[in-house]
Amino acid sequence: MYPTGGISATIQANRLRAEGMGSKEHALHFSNQDYEALKQECLESGCLFEDPCFPAEPPSLGFKELAPYSSKTRDVEWKRPTELTDDPQFIVGGATRTDICQGALGDCWLLAAIASLTLNERLLHRVVPHGQSFQDDYAGIFHFQFWQFGDWVDVVIDDRLPVKGGEIMFVHSAEGNEFWSALLEKAYAKLNGSYEALSGGSTTEGFEDFTGGVSEMYELRKAPKDLHRIIAKALERGSLLGCSIDITSAFDMEAVTFKKLVKGHAYSVTGLKEVDFRGNMERLIRIRNPWGQVEWTGAWSDSSPEWDEVDPSEREDLHLQMEDGEFWMSFSEFKRQFSRLEICNLTPDALSEDSLGHWNTMKFYGAWRRGSTAGGCRNHPNTFWINPQYKITLLEEDDDPEDDEVACSFLVALMQKDRRRYRRHGQDMHTIGFALYEIPEEFRGCQNVHLKKDFFLKHSSCARSETFINLREVSTRLRLPPGEYLVVPSTFEPSKEADFVLRVFTEKQSETEELDDEISADLGDDVRISETKKKTLHTTLYEGKISRTLMINQCLYICGFLQDEITEDDIDDSFRSMFGQLAGEDMEISIQELRTILNRVLSRHKDLKTDGFSVESCRTMVNLMDKDGSARLGLVEFQILWNKIRKWLVIFRDFDLDKSGAMSSYEMRLAVEAAGFKLNNRLNQILVARYAENEMIDFDNFICCLVKLEAMFRSFQQFDKEGSGEAEMNINEWLYLTMCG
């Protein structure tokens, strides 16, 4: 997999993607395990592979119903196929739908997807690589490849399978000695953290992870009139199809209807056919139950009388294609009995029967982070604008002579990442969706802009996802006139954290890009004391011509401590004494002295929430202002620093909208911009993570944030000698910058 662990890892991952890593030809190694290298090690050592990343131990089974020491996992053993049968085979006579029988795990959605996969040998062998067996160079190691959130991933496993009472616990083959499906399920369980993480889901999730395709969902009670043509074309193109019956309560889950259909259960659609029945053409659809049993008993079921009136040769042909658990039913009955149809189109151009040519595809990797980019849906106007924003430019209308409307077809698919892996921590899928806005004329052609709150208060969405729903992916097909549109993906509620992939498929030529503020800083000019005034002050101080009290007052005045409303009476004796002792006649202030002075002055501002400046934050301030490397501030340096703090205090109060003494993290983003710093989403995420607590930022952290920003911008300017936006430095300069920054 890509490296993980922070911003540097993200930068490296983006570089690897640009080099082709994650493509089907260059799949990523999950957990950095290289199948060929590991297999060679095992063959040379003579030892069978034991996977340290997914060990044959209770935690690999699950965390709740399949938790260690639970009744369902008691007496579980892990055995290799070579221990279960004398003649284990990887695949016998090709992979077929009967190889997939469900075990004691609620992953029928996954098995329905696997069953559909067996209908397309080319697709199957993208997921199940050739050349694996229990005979040739057997080393107890196997591998499978899955599409995960935009990348192909190669997953290595050992072949130790969970067994209870002598039977494989989960998916197994009806053949008894065939193990490709059980090993495939284990690899997918490893990818998602455990077997139990696979319980419950949508067939489209499995479809997409086996193909990298894009899915659509049809509610059968609102199905389009040409649904049969869409299904026929999808089957013809090798698309994967699944269907299910909604449940109305927990008691319905896997309840069997009187005609033997199972509610809340995922089925595969495996065929569509028309037959001559009583002089009319009857449209039939073939369905498969991944249990391998429990079949429909209504009209057109295996032994129903309707077959008696079909030409014997045609009847025999259709029945010869049947497998266990598979049955025919009329298409009209299918639409009445089932609730939902899911289609995974293997290529974007297969999205409907009438689609012609290849669709343009774009992919973006984004994140919702609490306090910075997790703004929730439009119901939350104060925070909605902080969500990531993407621009779609639709350039050409569709070629459809039967449609008078000038419009462009496109599909938006929003997928949240890795949520199954968080189940063991009590988390699950977020409720997600997206909204689209027409970009007004004043913002057209702009890229370096992140639209703010006022825009969304004044403009309504022109399209949106059909619903916000707690599925891994939400996708919607849309038609809009040519123009520029803004896509805002979000969770339903604010502050829900997740990584996501946004995919956009457009039928004709289009342009897609992320909208984000350009990084810049308006540093302005330092306000300095005139040389004459500075010289006069130092002469006065060092010649001892004024009293200590007067010296303190004059210093405070020059440094901006004393404003019009503050008089000498406002400075108490203890502060005068402290300042004189700390600063001394040389007017040099150390880091610790700066902290003491600032916190003493800050204590007078009762309206500000703060726990005071830390030593580390004062060190950052000194490093920003210190020009001679003494780690101390002279009078002028201190004066400039305090002028900055005074200016930033005004900004802080302006953006503390509720006058609570602290700013929310989204108020902070606007305040940082008002201070002259424009940052993109990723940098705003970093600031919130480092300087905010519970999405709130107090005054001292706000000042430290701005000091750090200014220091880093000024350092960059020193190294960007040509003003090109790129800086070069050697190792000494880099270490000096990072150690002192």
Side-chain angles (χ1 to χ4, degrees), residues 110-125:
L110 174 63
L111 308 191
I114 299 174
S116 293
L117 192 65
T118 63
L119 300 176
N120 187 317
E121 188 173 355
R122 179 181 58 84
L123 286 177
L124 177 71
H125 288 295

Side-chain angles (χ1 to χ4, degrees), residues 717 719-726:
Q717 287 180 346
F719 290 103
D720 182 16
K721 299 178 175 61
E722 304 297 327
S724 63
E726 297 182 0

Side-chain angles (χ1 to χ4, degrees), residues 430-443:
H430 292 315
T431 302
I432 62 171
F434 52 84
L436 280 84
Y437 296 81
E438 186 174 4
I439 295 180
E441 190 171 346
E442 63 266 29
F443 293 114

